[in-house]
Structure formats: structure tokens, C-alpha cells
Amino acid sequence: DRELLARHPAAAAQLDLQAWLYAPGLPTDAPRTESTLLSAVDREVARWNRQTPASELDTRGWVTQQWLRFLDALPDELRVTQLAELDRTFRFTQSGNSEILCAWLVQAIRSDYRAVDRRLELFLQTVGRRKFLKPIYAALLQRPDGKARALAIYQRARPRYHAVSQSSLDAMLGYTPK
């Protein structure tokens, strides 16, 4: 109060200090930002949702965050033909970017796109970061046959995981080490 607000009473009067200091979330008078790069992604997602073929989407020069926004904006469940079209066009299953690949694999699992199965198993056996493992195993657990699939992969991959990842996944999967 003494160092800032008392010296600038006009500015202080324009702020909802109660909201800024004590309420959850952003106050209504918080500045809003707009990302032109993410807005471009949102436009292309809207076009794809209106049946524009994936090959006609303008994705030139997209960076990781844009691809993640795209994948995150897709409906939770898609038809296998839709996933196959996206994969043919953007080669998500072959991605060398773990962030993009993880998001794609979660989407593929949700929609039972089994064309990723080989890549899924390879990824789970070669990547040990919990930030990638947990969402993938969680998605597997949501599928009717998912727990059996998850446990089969996990038993082979577990020795390669860090102890913290093992502990988290043991609890998630209900796995008791022998």
C-alpha cells in the first residue's frame, strides 16, 4: 500500500484489488492476450471439423506448440478413418518429437486406432519420462481391453523406468512387483 498504491491512487482506484489479491483465477480486468499462431491452429481445427481434408489444412511452418494445440483440440473420440487420414497426412505415428507423439498416442488410444500399436509399445519401452508415461497408460486404462494391454507392456518396460515412474505406474495400474 505505502510503496505503490498510496503513490498512485488513480491507478489503484481502477483495480479490483480484492479480486487480484484474494480471489481465485484471473480477475475480469486482467489483460487478455491473443496468440496469432494459436488462432491459426484454431481456424484449421475448425476447418477440419467442417470436413476439410487434412491435406488441405494450412500447417506449413507449425511448431510443436501448434501441433499440440491441434491434437488437443480434436474430439476425444474419432473414427479410425479420420485418424488414418491425419496420420497419412501429418505422419504423427512416425514423429520423432516425444511431446507430439505422446499427444497423438493418447488420441489414438482413445479412438482405438490400433495402427499405432507397434509404435506405442516401442515408445513405452524406450521413453521413461513420467510426463509421457502417465497419460498414455491412463488412456489405455480407459479402453475395454486396456488394463490387460497396459500391464502386458508395463511388465516388459518397467525395468527401464526410473523408480519414481515405477512407483507412480505401479499404483496406477495396480501392479505389485515380484
Side-chain angles (χ1 to χ4, degrees), residues 8-19:
H8 304 282
Q14 295 176 13
L15 296 173
D16 181 355
L17 291 175
Q18 284 297 109

Side-chain angles (χ1 to χ4, degrees), residues 16-33:
D16 181 355
L17 291 175
Q18 284 297 109
W20 275 98
L21 297 174
Y22 303 108
L26 286 176
T28 57
D29 61 349
R32 303 287 182 218
T33 60

Side-chain angles (χ1 to χ4, degrees), residues 89-132:
T89 304
F90 303 121
R91 304 182 53 80
F92 290 128
T93 302
Q94 286 77 40
S95 179
N97 181 312
S98 293
E99 298 283 348
I100 292 170
L101 183 57
C102 177
W104 171 249
L105 292 172
V106 167
Q107 180 67 49
I109 292 164
R110 284 185 189 140
S111 299
D112 203 28
Y113 181 56
R114 301 301 293 260
V116 303
D117 282 1
R118 188 165 178 233
R119 183 68 168 112
L120 168 69
E121 290 196 32
L122 178 64
F123 187 72
L124 290 174
Q125 290 182 39
T126 58
V127 172
R129 294 195 63 193
R130 188 170 57 164
K131 73 178 267 183
F132 299 129

